[in-house]
Amino acid sequence: MPSVRPPKRQRQLPSDAASKGTRSASFRHRFLWLAVPAVAGLAFYLVGGRGVHTFNTNDSGSAPEITYLPSVKRAPYIVADLPGKGKGLVAIRDIKQGELVIQESPLFTVPTSISRRLILETASESPGALIARLLRNTPAEGRDAFLNLSYVNFPAGVDPKTNPDQVALAIFQTNAVAAGEQAGIFPGMARLNHGCSSAFNVVYTWREREQQLFVYALRDVQRGQTQSELGKSEGKLLFHHVYINFLSQQYGFKCTCAVCSLDDAASQASDERLTTIARYYVHFASWGSGTISGVEAISTINKIWSLEEEEGYWSERGRLAADAAWIAASHSDASAARLWAQLAIRWYTYEVGADSDLVSEVRRIAADPEEHPAWSSREPLVVGGPLALR
């Protein structure tokens, strides 16, 4: 069974800061994220000339079919038929940056280790039988929603009509996402379509405390825009033509988002920016091993921020600012640590919610940088604050 889509990836905690302070293990492991990030997240992207301008998209003029959706008060979207794209979520009103779009519990989960073929082959039941058994224990409404999801890479020579367990497994493989240490199915989130790089404007996160998946608007979203998912390729930044091929092979579709529809010159410029961003992430991550100074690390983060602004890639800004706050605190630069923490609060609020654990942690650091677990773990140094305040 292929690996499910991973959660937001964690970056390596520097060994010289691991023993500092008394913060929880969850904080220490989640607060510093020093590694190349996936160019990933979720998205609404404007479909403009594709004929999806409002939520009334079917031929009869009536509201499109609404399938199983997560319990969200006055959800700002509906399920609609999108020409050439199947079903997807369409905004039925304007959505503000940072607004909660989806809050969803998993229909069911399995341990991440079980999602690996080697483990499954030694289990007491086949992968298909396991998923089918879990599915039978779900409410009928959720079960119907699961069976209405699409799937790809179905075994050749196998008849779906006579092999329901294989169908259930294929749906799981195509749609499951990481939910902490588990792999989960979220029928509402699974209705998101696809977008790449700067084409997305919502992001998702798994919140361990609530045991739910949350989707927030990373940008303002206008009524009539579709909600779209940005896929991942093992955390690698890929050239667009390579990524298009990956999506075709892995998920069975050709991406036509705004980024993949760029002309050759614009696509090449975007590829160059993403390649440079990836190189900068590797460079600033070397601060963790002491290869570069705190000043150079912060300078590199500012360069990443600027390039991502130029690219239109806004995802993971909260963690990037939190990384910078960690570096500043390590070098006892209270002023810089506070500024970076304040920037992390802003972007974590957009990305994971103002009431999330991550926002609570960086609020404490903004109030008193010396409370940071990495405080004064490196030589004193004025490393500098953010050049951009957005």
Side-chain angles (χ1 to χ4, degrees):
M1 182 185 296
S3 299
V4 299
R5 282 172 286 178
K8 301 290 186 180
R9 297 192 306 144
Q10 298 176 351
R11 299 180 185 152
Q12 187 70 36
L13 182 69
S15 57
D16 64 355
S19 61
K20 288 285 183 180
T22 58
R23 293 293 182 205
S24 66
S26 173
F27 173 72
R28 292 197 303 269
H29 290 163
R30 290 190 301 170
F31 198 70
L32 184 66
W33 312 74
L34 294 170
V36 180
V39 174
L42 299 176
F44 285 101
Y45 68 95
L46 185 61
V47 288
R50 297 188 179 90
V52 185
H53 300 285
T54 69
F55 57 90
N56 277 332
T57 60
N58 59 20
D59 293 337
S60 66
S62 59
E65 174 190 356
I66 298 179
T67 63
Y68 172 84
L69 290 172
S71 178
V72 177
K73 294 181 180 179
R74 295 183 295 277
Y77 57 80
I78 59 168
V79 177
D81 293 308
L82 307 179
K85 299 177 182 291
K87 294 185 182 298
L89 303 185
V90 178
I92 57 174
R93 62 168 174 79
D94 291 347
I95 301 171
K96 295 297 184 182
Q97 183 182 37
E99 183 176 342
L100 177 64
V101 179
I102 294 177
Q103 180 179 347
E104 183 173 13
S105 298
L107 191 59
F108 62 83
T109 63
V110 299
T112 304
S113 61
I114 293 179
S115 71
R116 298 189 175 93
R117 182 178 298 278
L118 180 61
I119 301 297
L120 281 167
E121 287 177 347
T122 62
S124 60
E125 59 185 333
S126 70
L130 170 64
I131 299 304
R133 175 172 59 81
L134 293 170
L135 183 61
R136 285 193 296 271
N137 293 330
T138 62
E141 184 182 23
R143 187 162 56 249
D144 290 343
F146 175 90
L147 293 174
N148 279 325
L149 296 176
S150 62
Y151 58 89
V152 295
N153 300 324
F154 196 75
V158 178
D159 185 358
K161 294 181 180 179
T162 58
N163 292 273
D165 287 5
Q166 286 296 321
V167 172
L169 178 60
I171 292 173
F172 179 84
Q173 290 175 325
T174 303
N175 295 279
V177 297
E181 297 301 317
Q182 305 281 314
I185 283 289
F186 302 86
M189 180 259 200
R191 286 300 183 189
L192 300 168
N193 287 313
H194 179 86
C196 295
S197 186
S198 59
F200 66 88
N201 52 17
V202 304
V203 290
Y204 82 93
T205 186
W206 170 259
R207 285 173 37 170
E208 196 69 27
R209 171 160 49 91
E210 294 88 350
Q211 290 290 292
Q212 289 181 314
L213 181 141
F214 288 71
V215 178
Y216 286 91
L218 191 60
R219 311 171 192 267
D220 290 342
V221 181
Q222 296 180 352
R223 179 179 182 270
Q225 288 183 299
T226 60
Q227 201 169 357
S228 308
E229 177 184 5
L230 177 66
K232 300 182 181 180
S233 177
E234 299 302 320
K236 296 178 181 177
L237 292 164
L238 300 178
F239 290 123
H240 289 118
H241 71 278
V242 175
Y243 197 64
I244 289 173
N245 290 337
F246 166 80
L247 292 172
S248 178
Q249 295 172 9
Q250 187 72 18
Y251 293 103
F253 73 94
K254 180 180 179 180
C255 184
T256 57
C257 75
V259 173
C260 291
S261 301
L262 292 172
D263 61 37
D264 289 345
S267 181
Q268 182 178 351
S270 176
D271 284 340
E272 290 174 355
R273 283 191 294 270
L274 294 175
T275 301
T276 303
I277 290 168
R279 187 172 68 250
Y280 282 157
Y281 265 103
V282 172
H283 185 65
F284 110 76
S286 66
W287 173 87
S289 61
T291 304
I292 63 174
S293 70
V295 173
E296 187 170 353
I298 293 297
S299 174
T300 304
I301 289 175
N302 274 312
K303 290 177 182 177
I304 292 171
W305 201 282
S306 176
L307 268 180
E308 288 183 342
E309 181 69 22
E310 185 179 347
E311 174 66 17
Y313 180 74
W314 289 4
S315 185
E316 301 178 332
R317 280 188 162 184
R319 68 174 63 178
L320 183 59
D323 287 347
W326 184 293
I327 293 168
S330 296
H331 291 287
S332 306
D333 188 343
S335 176
R338 182 174 288 107
L339 289 173
W340 283 112
Q342 290 169 347
L343 195 57
I345 290 169
R346 175 177 179 178
W347 283 96
Y348 270 148
T349 296
Y350 296 151
E351 296 171 340
V352 300
D355 58 345
S356 66
D357 291 339
L358 283 175
V359 170
S360 295
E361 295 291 355
V362 291
R363 282 192 188 281
R364 282 196 283 270
I365 303 308
D368 185 359
E370 293 188 26
E371 284 293 302
H372 198 291
W375 180 260
S376 196
S377 58
R378 300 282 183 97
E379 73 278 7
L381 192 64
V382 177
V383 297
L387 297 182
L389 297 179
R390 58 164 294 154

